[in-house]
Amino acid sequence: MNTQPTLAKEGEDTGSTGDSQQSDGSNGLKAGLKNRHLSMIAIGGVIGAGLFVGSGSGIAAAGPAILLSYALVGAMVVFVMRMLGEMAAARPSSGSFSAYADRALGRWAGFTIGWLYWFFWVVVLAVEATAGAKILEGWIPAVPQWGWALIVMVVLTATNLASVASYGEFEFWFAGIKVVAIGAFVVVGLLAVFGVLPGSDNPGAGFAHLTDTGGFFPMGAGAVLTGVLMVVFSFMGSEIVTLAAGESEDPQRAVTKATNSVIWRIGVFYLGSIFVVLTLLPWNDKSIVEKGSYVAALDSIGIPHAGQVMNVIVLTAVLSCLNSGLYTASRMAFSLGQRGDAPRSFARTNKRGVPQVAILSSVVFGFVAVFFNYKWPDTVFAFLLNSSGAVALFVWLVICVTQLRMRGIILRETPDKLVVRMWLFPYLTWATIAMIVGVLGYMVYDGGSNREQVVLSLLVAALVLAIGLVKERLVKRAKPELDRV
């Protein structure tokens, strides 16, 4: 049985017109991801480098109440993933939510959110390459930072070009290290909190730290919303598994499993690890910001070389994010090419089932963004960073709106494939939409860089949307002329 999704099939699933389809089935992606790859991509997908690096700032801004910030964003992600899982289990696609928006809302919607998502990950490539290069330069200063960034990008590009199985294998081990590290941190930390960790020299650890320094809300209840803005972007990446499922042996099973497990993943990795930090140290301990929350927590219980250990883990998280970012950007470009919303060459695959042009095109823009980061970090690159900053929230919003329409389409066309269902539909979907709009509104109200991110991201989204609408109108105008011919 041929397990390769063909280009023509993708066009049918997303409601594309015949103009955006190709009939050459040999140009399809190969089902090269094994179940263990998908499982680890799903587990590790919610653990970004931002959790390790940025959590200290969130704790400093909200105190112990940052737990509520993580819980609110975590709940929002759980709901969004449930909606996406419903659609992806019924119709696995390399374009995931972009393809579903194409079908449910119109070509303009799939075009806009697809290109915005691609843009987001291309900028992430530059950010993560620079972060990884800084760590590597600290270990081996003989190689300049730009050299390390180049080496990292080249190695991971080669990995993605080799085969989807190579990407899956690298991500399996990268994500595995992150999962083991966070799991070990939670276990060791809790042992220290309860006073049963042998050799621990942190007599002050305990639940009292949640309230003994200004109470649970030391910065006021409003700081919970400020914390939401600081942590929301560290959750981006949980949706990657729905893109990768299209290249797996059993997409429906993989998506169902990933969707059902997202609650405990967020509970353990985010809430669990931050809870441990807050019970090992007072929230206003200066080392949490200076060293990073995890390093400070490990130092407090006498773990030797905590800084170096965490640098290895952060580097792994960076490489994982780079690896997945390149994969995700290329698959979104591939799907856009299939639907006629990107150059046709993006939709071509080589004999190994790899969309070579889509990968190389994505990495070229990634290299350009890295160059901007070194040459004009405070101007050009700052603009790129801010103009992609709110895209994560736009993506989640589009997923919600799309699911409202796709439920009816799935029930009408393939009801037997509705194996994952959004809870309390449509009320919880509308509630999630209200939550996301509320976060965007608070970002504008909060001012500063948050407002700039929303405004610039909206401007870029409006530009892409305008291009999509013009393109759709031109295609509709050209079609009657072709029919007459």
Side-chain angles (χ1 to χ4, degrees):
M1 182 176 67
N2 181 15
T3 58
Q4 300 180 15
T6 66
L7 299 180
K9 182 66 175 176
E10 178 88 3
E12 292 167 8
D13 283 348
T14 59
S16 299
T17 64
D19 183 65
S20 67
Q21 297 177 21
Q22 295 184 36
S23 60
D24 186 1
S26 65
N27 283 347
L29 300 171
K30 287 188 177 180
L33 292 176
K34 299 178 180 178
N35 287 332
R36 66 181 178 88
H37 293 153
L38 263 294
S39 297
M40 197 56 74
I41 290 170
I43 294 172
V46 295
I47 310 174
L51 174 62
F52 299 104
V53 179
S55 54
S57 299
I59 292 172
I66 194 68
L67 283 170
L68 294 181
S69 303
Y70 275 102
L72 284 171
V73 179
M76 192 163 64
V77 172
V78 166
F79 298 152
V80 170
M81 278 298 294
R82 186 74 184 182
M83 288 180 254
L84 184 55
E86 176 180 297
M87 296 182 288
R91 297 188 174 204
S93 166
S94 61
S96 187
F97 50 84
S98 172
Y100 309 140
D102 187 308
R103 175 67 193 273
L105 305 178
R107 293 290 298 277
W108 61 270
F111 177 94
T112 304
I113 204 62
W115 277 114
L116 285 176
Y117 193 67
W118 177 87
F119 174 57
F120 171 86
W121 281 111
V122 167
V123 175
V124 166
L125 290 179
V127 174
E128 300 296 340
T130 302
K134 286 180 180 177
I135 296 174
L136 290 166
E137 186 188 29
W139 294 343
I140 308 176
V143 179
Q145 192 178 124
W146 66 264
W148 280 120
L150 180 65
I151 291 170
V152 167
M153 291 280 276
V154 167
V155 169
L156 292 179
T157 300
T159 299
N160 276 265
L161 285 172
S163 68
V164 68
S166 298
Y167 155 73
E169 200 63 33
F170 267 71
E171 192 57 25
F172 176 82
W173 292 105
F174 285 156
I177 292 172
K178 290 190 294 184
V179 169
V180 170
I182 290 288
F185 175 81
V186 171
V187 171
V188 171
L190 287 176
L191 290 175
V193 169
F194 288 106
V196 293
L197 181 67
S200 173
D201 55 2
N202 185 354
F207 297 105
H209 283 325
L210 295 174
T211 56
D212 64 4
T213 312
F216 190 74
F217 297 97
M219 311 299 287
V224 173
L225 291 177
T226 302
V228 164
L229 303 187
M230 301 184 76
V231 307
V232 66
F233 301 107
S234 65
F235 283 83
M236 191 64 173
S238 54
E239 71 289 333
I240 291 175
V241 67
T242 63
L243 280 83
E247 294 176 79
S248 68
E249 299 166 344
D250 189 350
Q252 191 176 77
R253 178 177 177 273
V255 170
T256 303
K257 188 176 179 181
T259 303
N260 290 336
S261 65
V262 70
I263 297 176
W264 72 259
R265 287 185 277 133
I266 289 175
V268 172
F269 299 135
Y270 279 87
L271 291 175
S273 61
I274 298 300
F275 175 81
V276 166
V277 172
L278 289 168
T279 49
L280 286 175
L281 290 166
W283 71 269
N284 59 352
D285 191 302
K286 292 182 179 178
S287 65
I288 290 178
V289 175
E290 293 172 355
K291 296 180 179 179
S293 56
Y294 293 88
V295 173
L298 292 173
D299 278 343
S300 75
I301 55 179
I303 301 295
H305 310 295
Q308 290 89 329
V309 171
M310 194 52 61
N311 268 340
V312 172
I313 295 168
V314 170
L315 178 62
T316 303
V318 165
L319 294 176
S320 172
C321 192
L322 263 173
N323 194 38
S324 289
L326 182 53
Y327 171 83
T328 305
S330 64
R331 283 348 183 242
M332 186 57 73
F334 171 82
S335 178
L336 288 166
Q338 284 183 314
R339 290 176 273 143
D341 290 334
R344 295 285 189 182
S345 57
F346 283 16
R348 297 194 189 108
T349 57
N350 59 23
K351 61 183 179 182
R352 296 186 301 277
V354 173
Q356 189 169 301
V357 175
I359 291 174
L360 292 175
S361 299
S362 299
V363 83
V364 163
F365 279 95
F367 276 124
V368 170
V370 170
F371 173 74
F372 287 156
N373 195 10
Y374 288 118
K375 189 70 175 175
W376 302 290
D378 299 322
T379 53
V380 178
F381 188 73
F383 170 80
L384 292 177
L385 198 60
N386 285 323
S387 59
S388 66
V391 167
L393 291 167
F394 294 168
V395 167
W396 295 344
L397 189 60
V398 167
I399 289 171
C400 295
V401 177
T402 300
Q403 190 260 341
L404 287 172
R405 297 287 301 275
M406 279 298 291
R407 168 67 75 91
I409 294 172
I410 295 170
L411 283 174
R412 184 170 63 251
E413 297 180 357
T414 53
D416 57 306
K417 293 187 177 181
L418 194 63
V419 294
V420 176
R421 289 175 179 262
M422 176 60 184
W423 307 296
L424 299 176
F425 177 83
Y427 308 108
L428 202 49
T429 300
W430 281 111
T432 308
I433 290 173
M435 290 171 65
I436 297 170
V437 172
V439 171
L440 286 168
Y442 190 74
M443 287 178 72
V444 175
Y445 170 79
D446 191 56
S449 62
N450 287 318
R451 178 181 296 167
E452 186 178 5
Q453 284 186 18
V454 174
V455 172
L456 289 178
S457 296
L458 281 172
L459 287 174
V460 171
L463 175 63
V464 177
L465 173 59
I467 294 171
L469 290 172
V470 169
K471 180 181 179 299
E472 186 173 1
R473 179 168 294 184
L474 291 174
V475 169
K476 287 181 178 178
R477 185 178 299 173
K479 190 175 180 183
E481 295 177 4
L482 290 174
D483 291 340
R484 285 196 296 270
V485 173

